[in-house]
Every structure is written in structure tokens, then in C-alpha cells.
Amino acid sequence: MLEVDHLVTGYGGVPVLHDVSLTLSAGEIVGLLGANNAGKTTLINSLSGMYAPMSGRIRFEGQDVTAMTPKQRVEIGIIQVPEGRLVFPEMSVRENLLLGGINARARAHRPRQMDHVLELFPRLQERLGQNAGTLSGGEQQMLAIGRALMAEAKLLMLDEPSLGLSPLFVQYIFGIIDRLHAEGLSILLIEQNLNLTLRHAQRCYVLERGKVAVEGASDVVKDDPRTRRAYLGL
Amino acid sequence: MAEFLQALAQGLLIGSTYGLLALGMGLVYGVSGVVNFSHGDFISLGMFLCLGLYSALALDPYVSLIITVPLMTVIGGLVYWYLLRPMVGHQFLMVVQLTLGLSLVLQNGILMVFGGQPARTPSVVESKLLILGDVVVRVPHVIAFVVSFAMAIGLYIMLRSTDFGRSIRAVHQNAHAAALMGVDVSRVQTLTFALGIGILAIAAALLLPGTPIQPAQGLRYTVITLIVVALGGMTNFVGIMLGGLIIGLSEAYGTIYLSDTLGMLLPYGIFVLIMLFRPQGLTWSSSR
Ligand SMILES: Nc1ncnc2c1ncn2[C@@H]1O[C@H](COP(=O)(O)OP(=O)(O)OP(=O)(O)O)[C@@H](O)[C@H]1O
Ligand SMILES: [Mg+2]
């Protein structure tokens, strides 16, 4: 479904990702691990089309999307839940969800999709009229995921969904991720939390200073000594 | 007392249109961070277009809106897309310089076409009066008030309950997140700028009847707008309309109780005073 070939991306001409390749098949849940500054957010933003790569190619469902704008990528179903949630603080929960479904493909199905999201997150139902900025961190994460689902994601990419959440909320959010996966959604899960991700993902990539250091099935990656090394930056 | 009420009425009526002018600038600032120093010259352009249409086709300014609103909206869109967009987000000072340059171009363009002497554009309602007890108000001012508030309310509803309005607010609150949800940020910024200039076409016609115009007046309107926006808090709807009323009132009272020229200075004095005591503007939280 997703193929990233020899991607090089950077800022102001200085590469941050060096020759990253990865694949994700339909219905798969793939983990992307890495320490701080490994380049995880840079990668997910490249997949969303926020900056043009210096070289390399990105294909989605057989189509070359390397030159597509962020809007076009949303329209074909590549949706990101950004690091730090980035909900619209002065819009209500309902407005945030409506905005999530603003792309041309999803717009017409918003009422149905909203029902689905609110069934998934009953807590949001209670807060529909409340400004998103007044929600707790965990609720904001629910809203950020709900907003992405409103966009009718085919590939859902989550950037550190556990960041700053209490263990209970982390468990809850990962339960939701499992459920979405069981419903058939393809998921790219970006995390620093090693054990958690190895438990929920089928395959993992470990990014180290902009390069893929380890890749494979989760239990293989788990036992590979290079994983911990890359991770601790040793 | 009659004088006092007279000034109150006039100040509120004109102030509402100042509020409308400032809403346009606030919206543009909110989505793209552009402070448009050619704002007042676009108002000039709107007024002189009305004058031109009157001279050529004997159109009343209110009727000319059918032509000036779409025309200026398109001009606004083109100016943003080709001139401002390449600079926005990179170089704040460059953007300021660009809009200042644009101000000079507009001013001199108008001067070239219409000459430098003050001109008037007649309207059928120009000399009509409305008498309410001791207070005499001019009908064009009443029209300006009603239309300005109707526009402000319309804009508010548009921002709250349409997809376009929500995407404007989303870009204002977090442009990166808006882009990730499939909002075309450049397009929203361009359309908002176009909308802002289109609003100026309306405001120009509202202010026109009975007002002599001359090409160099743009700066005065730019300054009034900047003051109102600063008073209201750049992106606060209610605050901006309130700021418009305050500036309208101070101008009206200044002209009646002080001399003409001093009266024109009063709004600036009030502005400085308010900024000394409430540098964050009149209201507290942003309503967007
Ligand atoms: N907008 C930017 N401009 C310049 N450099 C950047 C920018 N964003 C990130 N970088 C640099 O790119 C490198 C990778 O950053 P990135 O945010 O992709 O890492 P990350 O793996 O997501 O880290 P974290 O776990 O802290 O979120 C870092 O060295 C960072 O300083
Ligand atoms: Mg990151």
C-alpha cells in the first residue's frame, strides 16, 4: 500500500533523513521507532507532503505521490495525527471533527462518520460543544484521532500518540488503535515507547539518526541487539 | 445636549463602518500575518471607481457596488497570489514594504487618472435627512450603520457555520494542522485577502456620499483601520467593532467640541491613552 524508496529529506538543504526505505501493506500496523531527533516527525511530514524530498520516491496504492500537495494526499486517504495533537484550541470539539472531514472525499459522509467517531470516543460526545483547548491531554488525543478518522483515512499515521499521557490513557489509546486495526485500517505508528510499540505493531522499523538501523517482525526487532543500541544512541 | 446626542449618533453611525474596515484587516492578519499598509488606498480605489462609474454611466455609488465589489475582490485575490504569497511566512518586513509600495502605486495611479483636486460623487440619498427629536442624522450614515452591522454579523455567521469560515479559523489557530487535514492554506489566505478587499469596496460606497475625496486620503484610512484593529485586538470580532465605534465617537465629539483639525486628532489621542492602560486591546479573549 505504501512504499517509500530511498527517501532523502532535510531542512534548508541539510539532509535529516538519509536514504530511508520502508513499506506497509494494506491492513498492516507498522511501528516506526526512534530516539529523540531520529527523524520520525520529519518522515511522517514528508509522507504528508509538508516538504518536498531532496530525492527518493513515495508510492501509495501503486500511485506515485511524491509530487502531490498535502491536500491531494489527504484526498487519497493518507492522514496524519500530528505530534502534540495540534487540535484547533478555539474551536469546539464538534467543529474540530467537522474540519477533519473537510476534504472533498469525506465531506459528504460527515454525519455518518461523526456517529462512528462518537461511538468510538463516548467522552467526546459529552464535550461536543466545548472548546478543544479546554480538554485534557488525553481527550485532546482522542479528538486528534477522531478528527483524522473524520477525514476517512485509508492509512492512519500517528506521531507519538502516547506522548505526555498517563499510563491509563496510553492503554486506552492503544486499545483504540488495536480496534481500528481490527476494523481493517492500515496504521503507521510512530513512537518512542519501545515495548509498547513492539507489542502492538506487526512489523517495526528503528530509525537512528535519519537511517533505518533495524527492520523486521516485531519479535525479531525486539531481540536484535542493534535495536537497544540505536535506541539509546550508543 | 442636542449637540451631544447629535455627535453620539454620528459617531456610532460612522464608527460601525470603521469597524467593518478593520474586520477586513483583522481577518487577513489572522490567516496570513500580513499587515496591509495599502488598506486605505484600496478604500480610495473603491471610492474613485464609484466616481468613475458616476462620471461615465451616471451610476449611484450604491448601484456601482454591483461592479466594484466583484472587481475589487478579484484584484485583491490577484494581489495576494502574485505579490504577497511568495513572501508570506518568510519576511515580515518585505511584506510590509510590499504593501507600502502598493499604497504608493495605487495612490499615484488614482492621481494619474482622476487628477489631484477634491471630487464628490453624488448619490440620490446624499442630502436626505432623518429627524429624530433633536437629532438630525443623514440617511447615508444610517445606511452605512445598518449595512456595516449586517456585514459584521454575516461574517461572524460565515466564520462559525460554513466550511470556508471554519477553514479560515483553522488556518488562524494552527496552519500546520489545517494543512494536515487537507485545507489548502495558500488558497484560504488568498480568498481571505480577496474577501477583505471586497469588503473595502462596500465600505468605500458606504462612506462616499457627501464626503469629498482626493487621492492622498488613503493613509488616513489606513491609520484609522490600524488603530481600530489594535484597539480591538487583531482578531477579535466584537473588540474590533467596539474599537470602530470608539474611534467614530471620538472623531465626532472632537469635531463638535474642539476645532475641525483637533477633532481629527482626538482619535489618535484616545488610542494612545487606551494603549497606555490596556496594551492588550479592549477585550480579553479572542472570539475566534
Ligand atoms: N523545521 C525544522 N527546521 C530545521 N530542522 C528541523 C526542523 N524540524 C526538525 N529538524 C531537525 O531534524 C532532526 C530530526 O527531527 P524530528 O523532529 O524529525 O525528530 P523526531 O524523531 O520526530 O524527534 P522527537 O522524538 O523529539 O519528536 C532534528 O535534528 C531536528 O533538529
Ligand atoms: Mg517527533
Side-chain angles (χ1 to χ4, degrees), chain A residues 40-41 83 159-160:
Chain A
K40 304 182 295 297
T41 300
E83 182 177 344
D159 195 350
E160 300 203 38

Side-chain angles (χ1 to χ4, degrees), chain A residues 134-177:
Chain A
T134 65
L135 300 180
S136 75
E139 290 166 345
Q140 289 192 8
Q141 188 63 61
M142 294 181 200
L143 180 56
I145 294 175
R147 185 178 62 178
L149 293 176
M150 288 295 293
E152 303 204 330
K154 288 185 192 164
L155 170 64
L156 186 68
M157 310 187 294
L158 301 118
D159 195 350
E160 300 203 38
S162 74
L163 192 72
L165 300 190
S166 68
L168 215 64
F169 258 121
V170 172
Q171 218 172 42
Y172 175 78
I173 293 290
F174 274 74
I176 293 287
I177 293 172

Side-chain angles (χ1 to χ4, degrees), chain B residues 73-141:
Chain B
T73 305
V74 169
I75 292 176
L78 293 175
V79 162
Y80 190 86
W81 189 261
Y82 289 106
L83 240 50
L84 300 177
R85 189 180 54 111
M87 296 293 169
V88 164
H90 303 294
Q91 299 281 346
F92 180 74
L93 271 183
M94 285 290 281
V95 175
V96 168
Q97 282 179 16
L98 262 177
T99 66
L100 279 172
L102 200 58
S103 156
L104 290 178
V105 169
L106 284 170
Q107 195 174 320
N108 288 301
I110 293 170
L111 189 64
M112 231 162 68
V113 176
F114 292 93
Q117 53 289 68
R120 272 172 178 283
T121 315
S123 161
V124 282
V125 298
E126 184 175 338
S127 51
K128 295 235 165 41
L129 300 173
L130 212 65
I131 300 166
L132 312 155
D134 284 345
V135 179
V136 182
V137 292
R138 297 176 45 222
V139 169
H141 288 177

Side-chain angles (χ1 to χ4, degrees), chain B residues 13-58:
Chain B
L13 295 180
I14 290 292
S16 64
T17 310
Y18 291 166
L20 181 63
L21 293 180
L23 282 184
M25 183 182 272
L27 275 177
V28 167
Y29 176 78
V31 296
S32 47
V34 171
V35 179
N36 178 11
F37 284 92
S38 60
H39 202 73
D41 298 287
F42 276 105
I43 299 171
S44 267
L45 178 64
M47 290 176 163
F48 277 93
L49 283 175
C50 287
L51 173 63
L53 287 167
Y54 174 78
S55 317
L57 306 167

Side-chain angles (χ1 to χ4, degrees), chain A residues 45 48 50 70-71 74 79-80 82 86-92 95 98-100 102-103 107 110 147-148 151, chain B residues 159-161 163-164 166-167 169-184 187 286-288:
Chain A
N45 278 333
S48 286
M50 297 305 288
K71 179 176 189 241
V74 167
I79 316 288
Q80 176 185 156
L86 309 187
V87 295
F88 303 111
E90 287 163 42
M91 282 162 90
S92 68
E95 289 176 315
L98 285 175
L99 199 109
I102 205 167
N103 74 71
R107 203 175 299 161
R110 278 189 287 192
R147 185 178 62 178
Chain B
L159 287 173
R160 294 268 143 192
S161 52
D163 274 331
F164 178 56
R166 276 191 290 266
S167 51
R169 287 162 62 217
V171 170
H172 165 58
Q173 291 174 25
N174 195 322
H176 179 76
L180 289 180
M181 296 327 296
V183 172
D184 185 338
R187 180 166 171 274
S286 150
S287 64
R288 290 218 260 137

Side-chain angles (χ1 to χ4, degrees), chain A residues 11 16 35-42 83 160 192:
Chain A
Y11 303 95
V16 166
N36 281 119
N37 286 343
K40 304 182 295 297
T41 300
T42 305
E83 182 177 344
E160 300 203 38
Q192 288 211 38

Side-chain angles (χ1 to χ4, degrees), chain B residues 206-231:
Chain B
L206 295 177
L207 290 169
L208 193 53
T211 311
I213 54 174
Q214 34 122 348
Q217 68 186 0
L219 185 60
R220 181 179 158 258
Y221 284 112
T222 301
V223 172
I224 285 183
T225 310
L226 282 171
I227 288 179
V228 172
V229 167
L231 273 181

